[in-house]
Amino acid sequence: MNDPLRTALAELLDGLPPREVAAAVDRLIANYRGDTPTHAPILRDQADVAAYAAYRMPATFEAVRSALAALADALPGWTPVDRSLGVDGRDDPEVLRWAAVNAWWTLQLADLPRPDALDEALLEADADGPMACDGVAAVPFDPVRRLATAVIRTPGRLGAHTLVVKGDVHSVLERCALDEAERERCRALAARAAGEGLRVLAVATAERPARARGYTPADERGLVFRGLVTLRDALAPTAADALRDLRDGGVTVKVLTGDHPGTALRACRDLGVPVAADGVLTAGHIDALTDAELTGLVRRTTVFARCTPEHKARITRALRAGGHTVGFLGDGVNDLPALRAADVGLAPRDAADVAREGADVVLAGKDLTAIAHAITAGRHAGGNIATYLRVTLSSNLGNVVAMLSAGLLLPFLPMLPSQVLAQNLCFDAAQLAFAHDRPHPSVLRRPAVLRPRALLRFLTGFGLLNAVADLATFGVLAFVPTGPGSGDDERLFHSGWFTENLLTQALVMFLLRGERGGGRGRRPGPVSWAALALAVIGLAVPPSPLGPALGLTAPPPVYYLTLTAVLVPYAVGLAVLRRRRDT
């Protein structure tokens, strides 16, 4: 064994954190990629590398086996083989050998892009068994049959082919030559294993005369039942916390799986996902329901077991028909219909190619924490965008109404173009603070939804209130003492409305931001400071040296007193309307 491999294995055995373990195995891949013998597994990932090292270097087998065990603990998602049980329920290694033969030759002969997690685990557990025979043909897995068949030829046995069938317990048992009592006993054995949270595969074989004609699913009959292989899923260490965060955020988790209901229920218990007594549906029950009945039932159902791709897509459509926004996470070809039926399809980076292409979002890894963080970030951004739209549109509606009214009542422009541009520049710059606003955690527990009718009512109410404040300001300006010339009247009007407009917009930003209670008990945030800066600009610009350049002048002190009399009722009106909207 060369030094780089010895170093990498030593690092694995030292119990490094997952990131450093992955880096060490990546170095292992770099040293051994391209040196794969004809019958060794293809180097697809870290687990393959450790198995390959064990295959090539028997003298270091124990060291590599220890490294693989450390790797399985460090990297989530690996599915180790638990036991292989014979017909009598006792351990039988021959069952595992037949299952590995099926996994290997199905992969080689059925033109599959890569094995699934179960087949990888079988090949890791018995890498030598498949090499003792020659593959002839394969009938790949499909979600309707729920099994796969490999046809092999054993050296020394001329004129005979052996069918090796592996798949769902019920599907395999239906094709075996067993009486009903034996079949029920095997089902009970599988149900006990599934109740312990194990994934269960049934294995059967059949001898057939050798032939040149191809094999089809019709040949999967009269099988001899060999036994069961049980596998234990290694739950990702962050999964339970991520699911809890999703529930806290108002996201309901549904499990759609092709596995036995007992396996799914055990996983839910381990992950802290609550499942009611009537919260499990199997494919047989789903087939008996109409679309309307399924739409009513999916709301209170948590686990959907033994699902085909069509079942998953139908359940997804039923959830959407019930008014839910549905995100579907899947990584296999069988998940493609549901990925397309969901509002948002998600797939991990190592998913099947068609699953990645059919997904709307591709995750960097199988980590539900990323989904929880993405939902929180999306609600944060969506809430701020909704607030921006409400504030901007209501304020602009009020300004438009006031501008049209002033145009009909005044013999001059109510505001010069340069003043409009300066005011809009200040308001728009202040609203950039919405991007940095941090709403209260309670606001993030549900999505921000902009309903057209509710938005229209909001804009009408707050926009008209803003217009009333502007018209009241016009009345105030009519009684404010002015200079000797009409030019002074115009400049005073422009200055008064410029100040009042920025002050009302600052009040709108402060009082209408976020959701009710979003800023209680907290220090002022970026929106509060931006609103304060906007108010300061509105008060400071007219009497400053910049005022004459914009055609503004300093209003008399009495104006600020009368303006206060306008703004106080305006602020009270904003607060009252907002409270009514929130309740």
Side-chain angles (χ1 to χ4, degrees):
M1 184 167 67
N2 63 14
D3 289 338
L5 180 57
R6 186 187 303 277
T7 301
L9 289 177
E11 290 174 337
L12 289 175
L13 293 171
D14 284 342
L16 296 175
R19 286 186 180 179
E20 297 181 31
V21 170
V25 179
D26 286 340
R27 290 194 291 274
L28 197 73
I29 294 175
N31 279 286
Y32 279 83
R33 190 180 297 279
D35 190 24
T36 308
T38 304
H39 296 296
I42 301 170
L43 297 184
R44 291 176 306 276
D45 54 26
Q46 291 91 337
D48 283 338
V49 173
Y52 168 53
Y55 176 85
R56 290 300 305 273
M57 293 161 288
T60 61
F61 180 76
E62 290 304 323
V64 178
R65 173 175 287 185
S66 299
L68 181 56
L71 188 64
D73 291 336
L75 299 178
W78 192 65
T79 312
V81 172
D82 182 70
R83 297 176 67 187
S84 58
L85 306 174
V87 178
D88 56 1
R90 298 178 181 178
D91 290 333
D92 185 353
E94 277 297 296
V95 180
L96 176 60
R97 185 181 72 84
W98 284 120
V101 167
N102 175 283
W104 174 253
W105 289 112
T106 301
L107 172 66
Q108 298 300 313
L109 299 174
D111 195 25
L112 300 178
R114 56 173 296 176
D116 62 15
L118 298 182
D119 286 344
E120 285 184 324
L122 294 172
L123 293 174
E124 297 293 352
D126 190 337
D128 297 329
M131 310 310 163
C133 55
D134 297 322
V136 175
V139 183
F141 177 89
D142 72 62
V144 177
R145 290 164 43 246
R146 301 179 64 80
L147 49 82
T149 297
V151 183
I152 62 169
R153 179 175 57 248
T154 303
R157 295 186 58 194
L158 301 178
H161 287 168
T162 302
L163 276 68
V164 185
V165 180
K166 168 180 65 65
D168 174 72
V169 174
H170 291 269
S171 299
V172 172
L173 288 176
E174 288 174 355
R175 293 164 171 79
C176 291
L178 298 171
D179 59 39
E180 191 56 36
E182 292 175 316
R183 190 174 284 111
E184 191 58 35
R185 182 170 54 81
C186 294
R187 289 197 186 105
L189 179 63
R192 285 197 299 272
E196 297 175 1
L198 300 173
R199 304 182 74 172
V200 185
L201 295 174
V203 181
T205 62
E207 297 294 327
R208 298 284 189 268
R211 72 188 195 198
R213 179 167 51 89
Y215 288 84
T216 68
D219 296 302
E220 299 165 342
R221 52 185 173 77
L223 306 177
V224 177
F225 184 68
R226 292 289 181 175
L228 305 173
V229 177
T230 61
L231 305 98
R232 187 176 299 278
D233 280 331
L235 300 176
T238 60
D241 292 339
L243 291 174
R244 185 185 64 250
D245 292 342
L246 288 172
R247 289 196 302 275
D248 292 343
V251 177
T252 303
V253 176
K254 309 282 186 183
V255 179
L256 282 63
T257 178
D259 290 336
H260 189 281
T263 304
L265 283 172
R266 179 56 182 268
C268 289
R269 286 197 297 270
D270 292 343
L271 292 171
V273 177
V275 181
D278 59 348
V280 180
L281 273 183
T282 59
H285 293 93
I286 295 172
D287 290 334
L289 298 173
T290 65
D291 289 342
E293 291 171 336
L294 182 61
T295 299
L297 197 58
V298 291
R299 179 186 294 274
R300 62 178 185 269
T301 303
T302 302
V303 174
F304 301 87
R306 299 193 180 281
C307 292
T308 65
E310 290 72 22
H311 289 127
K312 294 179 181 180
R314 188 182 174 207
I315 293 166
T316 301
R317 288 192 294 267
L319 286 167
R320 294 187 65 187
H324 300 282
T325 300
V326 182
F328 184 89
L329 173 64
D331 61 357
V333 177
N334 295 338
D335 297 317
L336 183 59
L339 286 169
R340 290 176 173 171
D343 291 288
V344 180
L346 304 101
R349 183 175 56 186
D350 58 351
D353 292 341
V354 291
R356 288 199 310 273
E357 294 170 1
D360 301 295
V361 178
V362 177
L363 306 176
K366 287 186 177 181
D367 187 357
L368 294 177
T369 304
I371 299 177
H373 290 168
I375 290 175
T376 300
R379 289 179 177 179
H380 178 194
N384 288 343
I385 291 172
T387 301
Y388 167 80
L389 290 175
R390 293 188 183 103
V391 169
T392 302
L393 294 177
S394 61
S395 179
N396 286 347
L397 176 61
N399 288 340
V400 168
V401 172
M403 185 75 74
L404 292 175
S405 300
L408 296 174
L409 299 174
L410 298 175
F412 52 83
L413 289 176
M415 190 173 289
L416 298 178
S418 60
Q419 296 164 358
V420 174
L421 291 175
Q423 186 184 82
N424 285 344
L425 178 62
C426 294
F427 188 37
D428 292 343
Q431 289 179 103
L432 293 175
F434 284 122
H436 304 281
D437 193 26
R438 289 291 179 265
H440 192 273
S442 62
V443 176
L444 302 178
R445 291 175 186 166
R446 63 183 187 277
V449 180
L450 278 177
R451 295 181 175 86
R453 291 186 178 180
L455 179 61
L456 182 60
R457 288 195 300 268
F458 181 96
L459 298 181
T460 302
F462 286 97
L464 292 179
L465 178 62
N466 191 39
V468 169
D470 287 341
L471 294 175
T473 301
F474 297 165
V476 168
L477 292 172
F479 295 98
V480 173
T482 61
S486 60
D488 292 333
D489 292 340
E490 293 184 23
R491 282 195 297 271
L492 178 60
F493 187 93
H494 295 158
S495 302
W497 196 23
F498 183 90
T499 298
E500 181 268 347
N501 224 330
L502 289 184
L503 290 176
T504 55
Q505 288 172 342
L507 286 172
V508 167
M509 286 183 60
F510 181 77
L511 294 176
L512 300 188
R513 78 190 192 284
E515 294 292 331
R516 180 180 170 183
R520 291 179 181 174
R522 298 189 302 161
R523 291 178 297 178
V527 174
S528 300
W529 289 115
L532 178 60
L534 190 63
V536 170
I537 292 173
L539 293 170
V541 167
S544 72
L546 186 60
L550 294 174
L552 302 175
T553 186
V558 68
Y559 167 72
Y560 296 104
L561 295 176
T562 53
L563 179 62
T564 302
V566 172
L567 293 180
V568 170
Y570 175 70
V572 172
L574 282 178
V576 171
L577 284 177
R578 173 172 175 165
R579 183 177 295 275
R580 290 182 59 185
R581 179 182 68 87
D582 289 341
T583 56

